[in-house]
Amino acid sequence: MQHSFFGIDAAYLLLVLGALFVHACYQLSVSVLTYMSSHRLSKRASVRQLLSTGTGYAIGVIGTTSLLLVALASMLSYLRTPSPGETPQLVGIIVSGVVPVVGLLTMTAYYRRGAGTQLWLPRQITAYLLGRAKKTESFVEASMLGAATVIGESPFLAGPLLIAGATLMQGPPASWTWFAILYSMFAALPLVIVTLYLTSGHSVARVQRWREDNKQFLQWTSSIALILLTIYFAVLQFGVNR
């Protein structure tokens, strides 16, 4: 008996779990969140204020990620064939071609060379995001900042989002929004964990130290995972379902 969730075959849902892991490994949203929180702490913000901005930031990330995922699934759906429940061959070619390139770029260019956790972003974008993070004091401002980080990191998020979008479009359109929100909430779990960690009295320095110690692990595992997910996706598309 074939199992499904949101009308999507279980074999493809394994792809979504892998995409979620890769998505959570990317560090721009966490980097900006810790920078924002450090400035809030330097101004002796209360736990309630810190929790408010952290929650707003996470909601901005979740909302923007959900919109991007639904939009991507909608665009890919225009390429689908008349066969119900099938991802069209053209979508399979696009995903199999783009995702491993994102994986290789993650492996080679995601972090700048040298010590620290400086990311690939152009310095103008970095200056803008960090400048906004320094000035952010309200829930709404934090939400907008969270949305901006998702847009800024979209060239890399395109990898896991393409996999999730190609999977999502197999289900009925009525379920897309809920599926996208659920995906985005799980992808934003690192932000929730960091916010709770900081509001419980721990220092930003510990978060930064953890990021520094584990950046190569996150970089390499996410890169390799994208390549392996592409292989699995291609087998499902051009092997099993052919």
Side-chain angles (χ1 to χ4, degrees), residues 68-112:
L68 286 177
L69 183 52
V70 171
L72 186 58
S74 299
M75 288 187 289
L76 291 175
S77 70
Y78 284 107
L79 304 175
R80 76 182 310 162
T81 60
S83 302
E86 296 278 346
T87 302
Q89 186 173 353
L90 182 56
V91 172
I93 293 172
I94 292 172
V95 174
S96 299
V98 174
V99 174
V101 173
V102 175
L104 291 174
L105 288 174
T106 300
M107 185 183 298
T108 58
Y110 188 69
Y111 287 101
R112 293 185 183 275

Side-chain angles (χ1 to χ4, degrees), residues 119-199:
L119 302 178
W120 57 276
L121 283 174
R123 299 190 187 278
Q124 295 89 340
I125 297 179
T126 302
Y128 171 78
L129 290 176
L130 296 184
R132 291 307 310 162
K134 188 175 181 179
K135 298 175 182 178
T136 296
E137 296 184 356
S138 70
F139 180 94
V140 174
E141 289 175 333
S143 298
M144 295 175 64
L145 180 63
T149 60
V150 174
I151 295 171
E153 198 162 40
S154 57
F156 286 90
L157 295 180
L161 287 179
L162 268 173
I163 292 173
T167 301
L168 175 60
M169 58 170 287
Q170 297 180 49
S175 68
W176 289 2
T177 300
W178 294 111
F179 185 99
I181 291 173
L182 188 62
Y183 173 95
S184 302
M185 289 174 65
F186 277 104
L189 275 179
L191 304 178
V192 176
I193 292 171
V194 169
T195 297
L196 294 176
Y197 184 81
L198 294 177
T199 54

